[in-house]
Amino acid sequence: VLPVTEEKISRDIYSPINNPQELPTISVIIPTYKKNDYFEPCINSVLNQNYPSDKLKIRVVVNGSDLEYYKYLSKHYRKNKLVEVIYTEQKGLVVARAVGIENSKEDCIGFLDDDDMLATNHLISLAKFFVADVSIACSGLADYSPDTNSYNYSNYINKAISSVGEGVYDNYLRVSSLLSSQCAKLYK
């Protein structure tokens, strides 16, 4: 095992990916418990990623007692090889994420709430970090307001990134404010 140098990390992160086969496989886990108006845009934002489809798996975990919602999603996505719909009777976000993790075999895991969406380049921009042997990659967030059709970038993740600064860190205490939420991250 060779040590990872700052030069290697900078080269790998800021260089374009020349060989898509170097990219890690990614499982995006989407917990959901009842039908809502945001789910379709949410899952479509993952399906429309500019990430190689052979390296992507979406795991929708229906948690709680809504078996009809699970049946609906299973039927709706059964022909889509990128989407796996899983059911658990246990309720709760943490349980759903744990079930998603248990069913994941990919190199990296990301979480997405069923009322959130990803920018088209979200996964590819974070995946570049894993070519450089990073354990957790974090990005900023934008809160969308449908009433005003506008985005707000003044949220806790963006403020934490500003205070920590962009870069690669091996000191988890320095970046602990970024680790308080599962959103906008990929984990190895």
Side-chain angles (χ1 to χ4, degrees):
V1 176
L2 297 173
V4 176
T5 64
E6 191 170 325
E7 177 186 324
K8 178 188 181 330
I9 289 172
S10 290
R11 183 184 70 239
D12 289 345
I13 291 171
Y14 299 109
S15 301
I17 297 292
N18 295 322
N19 181 2
Q21 293 308 314
E22 293 178 3
L23 291 169
T25 55
I26 297 175
S27 174
V28 177
I29 299 169
I30 305 174
T32 188
Y33 68 97
K34 65 179 181 179
K35 191 170 185 168
N36 66 55
D37 294 336
Y38 304 107
F39 182 79
E40 288 297 322
C42 168
I43 196 166
N44 286 337
S45 77
V46 183
L47 290 168
N48 294 326
Q49 289 292 299
N50 61 352
Y51 201 77
S53 61
D54 64 326
K55 300 223 170 233
L56 180 61
K57 187 70 173 185
I58 303 166
R59 290 194 168 76
V60 177
V61 183
V62 181
N63 66 97
S65 58
D66 196 345
L67 196 54
E68 291 306 312
Y69 184 45
Y70 163 74
K71 289 177 184 177
Y72 164 78
L73 291 176
S74 293
K75 183 178 179 180
H76 189 73
Y77 291 104
R78 77 172 164 243
K79 292 182 182 177
N80 190 323
K81 295 183 190 280
L82 296 180
V83 180
E84 177 183 2
V85 181
I86 303 166
Y87 180 76
T88 179
E89 287 184 1
Q90 293 181 287
K91 294 181 181 181
L93 182 64
V94 173
V95 169
R97 286 179 177 162
V99 168
I101 291 169
E102 288 171 8
N103 285 275
S104 295
K105 299 161 194 68
E106 290 71 25
D107 301 323
C108 299
I109 294 175
F111 301 101
L112 185 62
D113 291 343
D114 67 354
D115 60 352
D116 292 340
M117 294 186 300
L118 299 179
T120 307
N121 65 342
H122 180 80
L123 294 178
I124 193 80
S125 65
L126 290 179
K128 289 181 179 184
F129 287 92
F130 293 98
V131 175
D133 199 30
V134 171
S135 299
I136 301 172
C138 179
S139 71
L141 292 173
D143 297 321
Y144 176 71
S145 172
D147 297 335
T148 60
N149 193 28
S150 64
Y151 293 91
N152 177 6
Y153 296 92
S154 179
N155 56 54
Y156 72 97
I157 290 285
N158 294 346
K159 289 176 184 174
I161 289 172
S162 290
S163 70
V164 170
E166 285 188 23
V168 177
Y169 300 99
D170 60 3
N171 180 341
Y172 285 111
L173 289 176
R174 180 165 181 192
V175 296
S176 62
S177 60
L178 295 172
L179 304 177
S180 63
S181 167
Q182 308 306 314
C183 299
K185 295 175 189 64
L186 281 180
Y187 302 88
K188 192 172 191 177

